[in-house]
Amino acid sequence: MRIFIPAVLMTALLGLTGCEPEGPASDIGDNIDQVLDNAVSSSEPQQVETPAPASSPEPEVIEQQKEEIEHVVEEASQEAQQRLDEILENTLEQP
């Protein structure tokens, strides 16, 4: 009985110390509290400048951008198809 009680107490103490989170996760609660405190203290309304609405681009510019995008997409598709063909060839050649 003398050995049993200290062993149970040591196991309980080790179990309780194992419940304490360690590492980056242990500071999350403190960080959340700090962020909330900062948000509450700085909750004074601030004026936010909204940018002026941008003028719409010319139709020629839009068409040129569309053509450039289509060209880039076509090149990427061709490169992807070539790479896929190479992978398939290498896979089929292996026994």
Side-chain angles (χ1 to χ4, degrees), residues 34-48:
Q34 183 181 9
V35 168
L36 288 176
D37 291 341
N38 290 342
V40 169
S41 66
S42 67
S43 63
E44 298 174 6
Q46 299 176 355
Q47 293 200 0
V48 178

Side-chain angles (χ1 to χ4, degrees), residues 4-75:
F4 181 73
I5 292 175
V8 170
L9 289 175
M10 287 299 291
T11 304
L13 289 174
L14 288 174
L16 290 175
T17 58
C19 293
E20 182 68 28
E22 296 179 4
S26 65
D27 297 331
I28 289 176
D30 297 335
N31 290 343
I32 291 173
D33 293 338
Q34 183 181 9
V35 168
L36 288 176
D37 291 341
N38 290 342
V40 169
S41 66
S42 67
S43 63
E44 298 174 6
Q46 299 176 355
Q47 293 200 0
V48 178
E49 294 183 26
T50 55
S55 61
S56 59
E58 298 294 322
E60 296 85 20
V61 174
I62 293 174
E63 286 299 318
Q64 183 182 5
Q65 289 175 345
K66 283 182 182 178
E67 290 174 6
E68 289 174 4
I69 291 172
E70 288 174 359
H71 180 70
V72 169
V73 168
E74 182 65 31
E75 285 181 357

